[in-house]
Amino acid sequence: MYYENEKITSTLFVACLSFGFITTSALAGNDEHGYSMRVYGFKQKSHSAGWYRQTTNYKNNWKVKLTKSGEGPHTISIFWLEKAGGANVSPIIKKIAGNPEAYQRVNPSFHGKKTVMLTAQNNNISGNEYNIPGYWDEETGKIQ
């Protein structure tokens, strides 16, 4: 009887542990991390706070939404992801202020499991500086 209870307890422990791993992976979903950045003149880069990209699947898209722009309505800002040290890990997204969120893969050579930052810059060469708010997510669960 004691052996059976120990066996059942061990089986339940393994099942709960496995379920925890599955749900933790599934919870790496579609978030909306708010950002508010200053875009500097002459195409200088700005960065958001970093978030840990836990997936290793490069097809798991990241997203960005440019809610509005201090440059004016319907203006464009350029976004991409970088890891610490300034290495680009994704292609760019050109976003028009006020348009729906956009999704993009990371580069296939980026294996994930790193903190990434949303990076932004003006789409044209001018000395103007302005603020941009919106939201982003380093991994959405949307596979493309």
Side-chain angles (χ1 to χ4, degrees):
M1 179 90 171
Y2 176 75
Y3 176 73
E4 286 180 15
N5 286 342
E6 188 176 287
K7 188 174 179 181
I8 291 171
T9 303
S10 296
T11 303
L12 285 173
F13 176 75
V14 170
C16 289
L17 190 61
S18 298
F19 180 73
F21 284 129
I22 291 166
T23 57
T24 300
S25 297
L27 292 176
N30 201 354
D31 299 316
E32 294 182 354
H33 309 302
Y35 70 84
S36 181
M37 289 189 271
R38 183 89 175 151
V39 173
Y40 300 101
F42 305 108
K43 293 198 165 194
Q44 295 180 66
K45 298 186 299 185
S46 301
H47 298 97
S48 72
W51 285 89
Y52 187 73
R53 185 177 165 93
Q54 71 181 17
T55 184
T56 57
N57 185 351
Y58 76 94
K59 294 179 182 179
N60 187 333
N61 287 201
W62 62 278
K63 73 175 178 184
V64 64
K65 164 84 172 159
L66 176 59
T67 308
K68 61 183 180 178
S69 173
E71 189 179 27
H74 309 294
T75 55
I76 298 172
S77 291
I78 299 171
F79 296 91
W80 68 93
L81 297 184
E82 287 185 1
K83 63 182 181 178
N88 296 0
V89 298
S90 77
I92 65 168
I93 294 177
K94 292 182 178 181
K95 283 301 301 160
I96 298 174
N99 279 9
E101 60 200 21
Y103 292 81
Q104 179 66 273
R105 290 180 177 180
V106 295
N107 297 332
S109 59
F110 179 60
H111 302 294
K113 301 283 186 189
K114 302 268 186 221
T115 298
V116 294
M117 299 169 289
L118 180 67
T119 307
Q121 82 182 172
N122 195 339
N123 70 310
N124 55 51
I125 300 173
S126 82
N128 296 339
E129 296 183 11
Y130 52 92
N131 293 321
I132 54 170
Y135 60 84
W136 72 291
D137 188 10
E138 77 287 354
E139 57 186 6
T140 62
K142 184 174 183 175
I143 308 297
Q144 288 184 322

